[in-house]
Amino acid sequence: MDKAVVLRGITKRFPGIVANDGITLEIEKGEVHAIVGENGAGKSTLMKILAGIYQPDEGEIYIFGKRERITSPGRAIELKIGMVHQHFMLVNRFTVLENIILGAEKRAGMVIDEQKCRKVIGELLSLYNFSLDPDARVEEISVGQAQRVEILKVLYRGADILVLDEPTAVLAPQEVKELFANLRRLKEEGKTIIFISHKLDEVLEIADRITVLRRGRVVGTVVPSRVTKEELARMMVGKPVFMKLEKTPVPAGDVLLSVKDLVVRENTGKPAVNGVSLEIRGGEIYGIAGIEGNGQKELAEAIIGLRKTSSGQVTICGRTATGLSIREIRDLGVAFIPEDRHRQGLVLPMKVWENMILGYHRKKEFLKKPSLNLKTAREFTEKRVKEYSVRLSSIDQSIDGLSGGNQQKVILGRELSRDPRVIIASQPTRGLDVGAAEFVHEELLKKREEGKAILLISADLEEVLSLSDRVGVMYNGRITAEFRPEEVTPEDVGVYMLGGGVKAGEGA
Amino acid sequence: MKRKYLITVMRILAPVLAIVLSAFISSIVILAIGKSPWQVFYTIFRFSLSRLDSVAIILYNATPLIFSGLAVSLGFRMGLFNIGVEGQYLIGAFFAALAGFTLKGLPAVIHLPLVILCGALGGMLWSFIPIYLKVKRGVHEVISTIMLNYISYSLIHYLIADVFMDRTQKLLDGLGSMLARTPKLPPSALMPKLHGLLGLFGIELPRHVYLNWFFPLGLLMAGLTYYLLMYTPFGFELRAVGQNQEAARTAGIKPERVYMVGFLLSGAVAGLVGLSDLLSYFGYMDLDFPRNYGFDGIAVALIGQNNPFGIIVSAMLFGFLKRGAEGIQTLLNVPMDTIVILQAVMIMSIVVITKVMNDYIKRLEKKEDVRVCSSQNSSLQV
């Protein structure tokens, strides 16, 4: 029997990073094949290639035994590949039926043949045992139901291969159960399912085979019955080789950053940070581990003043920072390396030197009476560029054209060269290649030796454990455990990251 | 470096291409009404450029559009769409007129600057309403400024025809009726023409040309705007907020404050739009006071690509077309609407062409980056 999907040597490069590096993978017809890996391992890129959104730079794709080039999402549908996106693409005001047929209406002359559509959808619903009212408006149905609409959309278009991108991320535990029941039924009917996730419990429950990706490469393909969760986690994270970073002992200084009972709410009123307390001394790196979306981002943004705090207190260098403006907080000596450098760190169309002084452009040295002092700004930039070996053709170049690693160096140069006392680094190596990531690590350690207090937030467990002096695990808006990295293994921390250790239940 | 050169060339080429394309499309329109496109275009050029007074009229036509384009571009640069320049300049012109006819006996050196200042103040005041609503209440500036334009039309009408109407107008016995207009402004409030200065260079302009000192003032304003945007810390913040509000906020800039100050500046410049007409041609404000400069300013800013110097050029282009329209109307009996069509087509082509070109440039850059990076990687592995 033909394989449903065969990938050979798929490589995809983005500026500064190889997202997929020679991926070879076979997916049998009628199996549930899970693809797991950490954030940034290349799962999404691979699936986007399969869905026709990206084109691979190298490699071959075979669909049901035939070599194909998936040139567009439309072509993917023709090849019977259906993508169920993590973020729903539904028209809220339309009914379930209207959403399903949208763009693929069965017609009778000029008008939509609603009866025919209704019949086809009715058949699909009963064949796969989906409970769904075709006439309900999407805005009125639950998240789990909306996801079923997405699945039906691709089935209606005749998909035989379903790609589900992190389908459980938005679901409550009982909805996950229902989804799995649906998936099993689809499998019985001969559909092939590719299931992307980083939740190991779920993958072990539903998948026939599991392929693990790490840093754009396939680590291996395993069968759930012959592997434990811990083994899988190790494959995902890599061997717990502590990077060979020289960590000289630094005498602890004063408490420079202190957070007390901090509560930060989302717009919906739900607390994203729910009573976090921590203290960081000079010469100390405090790492926060945790699966993304557990309040890390909100914590960082609250400290720097980007987010309002509901209650609790932030103290920086002995002074209350709660309620101050971002500029005032920065002036207390806080440097911020934001997790999304394109959205928060840089103004992309602007020049390199303009980005290098952004936020500090009203400092004395960059002003000359009514105007900016372009000369000192440029000198400052040239110096940082040399110091951080940023690769560029000119500091007048738009920062758009720099690779991710070099863009991050510009941010480091801007934030760290002003002798800050507290550094908040949020996912500082995300999307960087190994060399650039190493550079960032060394910089952070250098600052530690200089006696700065550093809050390091990262989804990369290896990074957190090898850099930090203390590690807190954040889960559901709380710090649920605190370790010294030398006392624990990544697996121990992993348990807490998944919500274990405290109270089981309530999926991550 | 070579790529950068190419990009600059393409940036300049885009409007030129758009003009050519729109001339081509307009030719079809001209053919459709049974005239020769060649003759029409030839007449536009000959009529507009063959005589010095005609050139001066083009500059006079361009004057309000320079201010208007600058006002709109200030909004665009910070990511806001100030459609309200229309209303702001009418209110500004009225404030200026009010300061002109109520204050008496002041010397020109005090009176005229005061009148101009009042114009800017009026525009600023009218722009305060939408930006306050936006910053404090999240009201979208497009909606509020459009609505305020209508309000300003009616308000001006009321003020001119009711409250401040000049009832002392001397009419010939039994002839005509009173004009709905404000009292005339005294000479101390009027802007001198450029005739004197140009006379020094041997350029004699006839009396029917109203080119005045607002034209050089407009050029100066463009220079100031450029300086503000590119060289001052506030201009830096304004551009940063316009291009990535989130990053600007993270860097400690308060976007709301930038919006407030920037929009008020835009309104102040808008307040000067109508003054060239008011203080040299009319000398009073009436119900026929020119309209649409505010909307034309959007087109001017768009074609000038929000660059102050580009705006000067595109304002002159509009002034030229307006003059040319008068020419083909009188000489060839071609309706003025042809020019309006030409303008509209030109705006559309420029939007399309710059978009296509920018996308093309972006793609070029991306490709180049991937190539450079992968070659760097492979050289690392070797």
Side-chain angles (χ1 to χ4, degrees):
Chain A
M1 195 164 60
D2 286 335
K3 307 242 190 277
V5 179
V6 175
L7 304 174
R8 282 205 200 295
I10 296 291
T11 298
K12 176 74 185 171
R13 298 183 191 92
F14 293 108
I17 189 164
V18 183
N20 286 165
D21 189 359
I23 289 189
T24 296
L25 183 62
E26 294 186 348
I27 292 164
E28 304 281 349
K29 214 171 143 188
E31 74 168 336
V32 177
H33 195 116
I35 295 181
V36 300
E38 287 187 300
N39 289 309
K43 296 172 300 202
S44 294
T45 306
L46 191 63
M47 290 310 115
K48 281 181 180 157
I49 287 172
L50 209 49
I53 297 167
Y54 290 158
Q55 299 306 309
D57 297 325
E58 287 162 30
E60 297 163 8
I61 302 173
Y62 297 85
I63 306 295
F64 296 117
K66 264 181 68 187
R67 174 144 188 213
E68 301 285 358
R69 288 188 58 227
I70 309 172
T71 47
S72 69
R75 180 71 190 135
I77 299 214
E78 282 171 28
L79 294 169
K80 299 192 176 304
I81 301 169
M83 181 96 180
V84 178
H85 293 276
Q86 185 179 359
H87 303 286
F88 302 143
M89 313 209 173
L90 299 173
V91 183
N92 275 333
R93 307 294 297 251
F94 279 15
T95 64
V96 168
L97 180 121
E98 287 166 335
N99 266 289
I100 293 172
I101 64 172
L102 187 66
E105 304 89 350
K106 310 228 180 285
R107 287 162 196 274
M110 291 285 287
V111 295
I112 297 169
D113 188 346
E114 209 191 305
Q115 286 317 308
K116 202 167 158 196
C117 295
R118 191 174 289 279
K119 203 171 137 250
V120 174
I121 290 168
E123 283 164 5
L124 286 173
L125 285 173
S126 62
L127 176 61
Y128 297 112
N129 258 337
F130 277 28
S131 63
L132 205 56
D133 171 12
D135 294 316
R137 281 196 188 200
V138 165
E139 60 192 349
E140 288 155 1
I141 63 179
S142 72
V143 179
Q145 287 170 324
Q147 190 172 53
R148 256 168 269 157
V149 177
E150 285 283 0
I151 296 174
L152 273 170
K153 254 166 77 176
V154 301
L155 290 174
Y156 177 82
R157 284 159 177 74
D160 281 331
I161 302 167
L162 276 76
V163 183
L164 288 90
D165 187 8
E166 306 259 359
T168 59
V170 288
L171 300 183
Q174 58 275 27
E175 286 178 319
V176 172
K177 280 208 183 78
E178 219 166 320
L179 171 70
F180 284 2
N182 287 334
L183 293 184
R184 291 197 182 97
R185 181 82 193 110
L186 285 164
K187 192 179 121 183
E188 280 168 30
E189 291 299 323
K191 304 285 182 195
T192 306
I193 293 161
I194 304 174
F195 185 98
I196 304 165
S197 182
H198 58 240
K199 294 185 186 167
L200 301 182
D201 286 319
E202 293 173 358
V203 164
L204 287 167
E205 186 187 336
I206 188 78
D208 297 312
R209 288 195 303 157
I210 303 167
T211 294
V212 183
L213 295 187
R214 187 170 76 229
R215 292 197 177 143
R217 296 190 179 167
V218 174
V219 180
T221 299
V222 293
V223 178
S225 56
R226 290 193 220 134
V227 70
T228 64
K229 190 172 155 187
E230 285 67 33
E231 285 166 332
L232 211 50
R234 198 170 309 141
M235 285 175 77
M236 237 169 91
V237 181
K239 266 192 241 144
V241 211
F242 286 77
M243 287 168 266
K244 289 141 266 149
L245 290 165
E246 283 301 314
K247 244 168 81 177
T248 41
V250 178
D254 299 333
V255 173
L256 295 181
L257 173 67
S258 136
V259 175
K260 216 170 163 196
D261 303 322
L262 192 69
V263 178
V264 183
R265 286 177 201 285
E266 287 172 20
N267 297 337
T268 54
K270 192 184 141 214
V273 177
N274 199 357
V276 166
S277 297
L278 53 87
E279 278 189 348
I280 310 179
R281 293 177 174 275
E284 189 181 35
I285 298 183
Y286 187 99
I288 290 193
I291 292 171
E292 262 180 279
N294 278 294
Q296 301 95 314
K297 182 183 153 129
E298 289 78 4
L299 173 65
E301 292 187 352
I303 295 173
I304 193 73
L306 265 171
R307 251 169 219 273
K308 279 216 178 80
T309 56
S310 300
S311 64
Q313 219 180 13
V314 178
T315 313
I316 291 161
C317 306
R319 293 181 49 192
T320 307
T322 341
L324 296 185
S325 74
I326 300 167
R327 184 164 283 163
E328 287 164 333
I329 291 174
R330 281 177 175 275
D331 284 344
L332 290 177
V334 182
F336 181 46
I337 301 166
E339 70 167 59
D340 187 337
R341 58 179 167 271
H342 288 176
R343 214 166 56 80
Q344 296 187 303
L346 301 167
V347 181
L348 279 188
M350 284 176 111
K351 294 170 179 173
V352 172
W353 71 263
E354 291 178 315
N355 274 289
M356 192 64 99
I357 63 166
L358 182 72
Y360 301 98
H361 54 278
R362 286 198 187 262
K363 295 278 169 238
K364 257 198 294 271
E365 66 261 38
F366 296 140
L367 287 183
K368 205 167 82 186
K369 284 275 170 61
S371 71
L372 291 170
N373 189 338
L374 301 195
K375 193 162 154 270
T376 54
R378 301 177 65 93
E379 279 168 6
F380 175 80
T381 307
E382 294 283 8
K383 234 187 247 166
R384 298 289 90 78
V385 163
K386 214 170 269 167
E387 189 179 340
Y388 288 82
S389 49
V390 184
R391 300 181 73 145
L392 39 68
S393 54
S394 146
I395 61 167
D396 284 313
Q397 180 184 359
S398 154
I399 200 151
D400 237 345
L402 267 56
S403 74
N406 285 313
Q407 289 177 345
Q408 190 73 335
K409 283 178 182 177
V410 171
I411 294 181
L412 290 181
R414 178 178 78 204
E415 298 292 328
L416 300 186
S417 60
R418 220 157 269 285
D419 205 31
R421 303 182 68 192
V422 175
I423 297 164
I424 298 164
S426 202
Q427 318 286 1
T429 59
R430 160 155 308 160
L432 302 188
D433 57 47
V434 184
E438 221 163 83
F439 182 88
V440 174
H441 291 156
E442 280 163 15
E443 273 315 299
L444 289 177
L445 288 176
K446 216 187 283 170
K447 293 295 156 189
R448 168 179 171 271
E449 275 166 45
E450 289 171 16
K452 321 294 185 197
I454 300 169
L455 177 66
L456 170 69
I457 296 173
S458 175
D460 183 345
L461 191 50
E462 202 176 323
E463 175 174 277
V464 175
L465 288 176
S466 45
L467 287 175
S468 309
D469 297 292
R470 281 185 297 146
V471 175
V473 180
M474 215 164 159
Y475 179 75
N476 246 339
R478 294 173 194 275
I479 292 188
T480 52
E482 208 176 284
F483 309 99
R484 294 203 164 271
E486 57 273 18
E487 295 166 352
V488 287
T489 64
E491 284 77 12
D492 298 338
V493 182
V495 172
Y496 286 93
M497 283 168 64
L498 295 169
V502 208
K503 237 198 284 170
E506 285 300 302
Chain B
M1 272 295 87
K2 200 180 160 196
R3 195 155 40 86
K4 206 172 159 189
Y5 171 73
L6 186 75
I7 289 167
T8 317
V9 169
M10 284 172 92
R11 286 256 151 79
I12 297 169
L13 214 64
V16 177
L17 240 132
I19 291 169
V20 173
L21 180 70
S22 46
F24 176 73
I25 298 175
S26 314
S27 300
I28 299 172
V29 176
I30 295 167
L31 279 174
I33 57 170
K35 306 276 176 186
S36 143
W38 173 246
Q39 205 189 2
V40 168
F41 289 130
Y42 176 73
T43 309
I44 290 176
F45 273 94
R46 214 200 38 182
F47 182 76
S48 305
L49 300 177
S50 62
R51 279 168 44 193
L52 264 179
D53 61 330
S54 194
V55 174
I57 289 173
I58 290 173
L59 300 184
Y60 172 72
N61 288 344
T63 305
L65 297 179
I66 294 175
F67 288 103
S68 172
L70 289 174
V72 174
S73 77
L74 273 172
F76 274 138
R77 284 286 187 139
M78 58 184 165
L80 297 186
F81 213 140
N82 184 5
I83 304 197
V85 172
E86 181 75 10
Q88 288 148 22
Y89 93 76
L90 288 173
I91 299 290
F94 179 79
F95 264 61
L98 192 64
F101 64 73
T102 47
L103 300 171
K104 290 193 178 86
L106 289 173
V109 272
I110 297 175
H111 200 182
L112 181 60
L114 203 66
V115 165
I116 295 174
L117 215 66
C118 283
L121 197 73
M124 200 189 258
L125 220 63
W126 207 242
S127 68
F128 175 73
I129 305 167
I131 200 60
Y132 179 81
L133 290 174
K134 172 160 186 98
V135 170
K136 295 286 172 195
R137 287 275 166 267
V139 177
H140 200 291
E141 76 278 3
V142 168
I143 304 294
S144 55
T145 50
I146 288 179
M147 293 306 146
L148 279 164
N149 285 344
Y150 289 114
I151 295 174
S152 73
Y153 287 155
S154 308
L155 188 62
I156 292 294
H157 193 133
Y158 168 68
L159 290 172
I160 292 175
D162 233 314
V163 185
F164 290 102
M165 181 162 151
D166 182 6
R167 302 189 192 276
T168 62
Q169 296 173 52
K170 300 228 165 46
L171 296 173
L172 295 173
D173 274 339
L175 272 178
S177 59
M178 285 210 288
L179 284 170
R181 65 160 172 82
T182 65
K184 286 193 172 168
L185 275 62
S188 62
L190 298 182
M191 184 57 109
K193 293 186 188 178
L194 276 182
H195 293 51
L197 177 78
L198 293 173
L200 295 179
F201 298 98
I203 302 170
E204 297 295 337
L205 291 177
R207 280 178 50 124
H208 72 265
V209 175
Y210 288 89
L211 182 62
N212 60 68
W213 280 92
F214 272 109
F215 177 71
L217 217 60
L219 301 185
L220 184 71
M221 185 59 82
L224 277 176
T225 307
Y226 186 79
Y227 176 79
L228 175 88
L229 285 173
M230 304 312 288
Y231 290 95
T232 67
F234 178 74
F236 181 77
E237 291 177 355
L238 191 144
R239 287 183 294 127
V241 168
Q243 288 172 318
N244 187 347
Q245 199 221 65
E246 192 70 19
R249 188 192 299 280
T250 307
I253 297 166
K254 288 182 179 151
E256 292 77 16
R257 202 189 80 90
V258 172
Y259 285 150
M260 179 58 88
V261 177
F263 211 81
L264 290 180
L265 276 177
S266 169
V269 177
L272 305 177
V273 169
L275 298 194
S276 167
D277 287 76
L278 176 72
L279 302 182
S280 79
Y281 183 79
F282 288 96
Y284 55 80
M285 202 169 174
D286 68 358
L287 291 183
D288 290 330
F289 194 75
R291 291 217 180 146
N292 287 334
Y293 285 152
F295 298 125
D296 288 346
I298 298 172
V300 168
L302 217 57
I303 292 187
Q305 305 204 356
N306 294 318
N307 178 312
F309 303 118
I311 284 168
I312 293 176
V313 175
S314 76
M316 295 220 212
L317 178 70
F318 272 64
F320 162 76
L321 288 174
K322 188 177 170 195
R323 179 67 182 157
E326 290 161 9
I328 55 170
Q329 195 171 22
T330 40
L331 300 178
L332 298 178
N333 207 16
V334 172
M336 216 165 156
D337 305 282
T338 317
I339 290 286
V340 178
I341 291 174
L342 183 70
Q343 284 176 348
V345 173
M346 194 157 19
I347 294 160
M348 281 191 280
S349 353
I350 203 135
V351 171
V352 172
I353 285 176
T354 44
K355 170 87 179 122
V356 170
M357 278 204 166
N358 284 341
D359 285 358
Y360 178 69
I361 291 169
K362 274 252 168 69
R363 227 172 318 140
L364 271 186
E365 285 175 341
K366 280 246 168 71
K367 262 190 194 149
E368 184 72 11
D369 290 338
V370 171
R371 204 180 57 75
V372 168
C373 289
S374 44
S375 70
Q376 275 173 14
N377 286 347
S378 55
S379 68
L380 279 176
Q381 280 158 10
V382 168

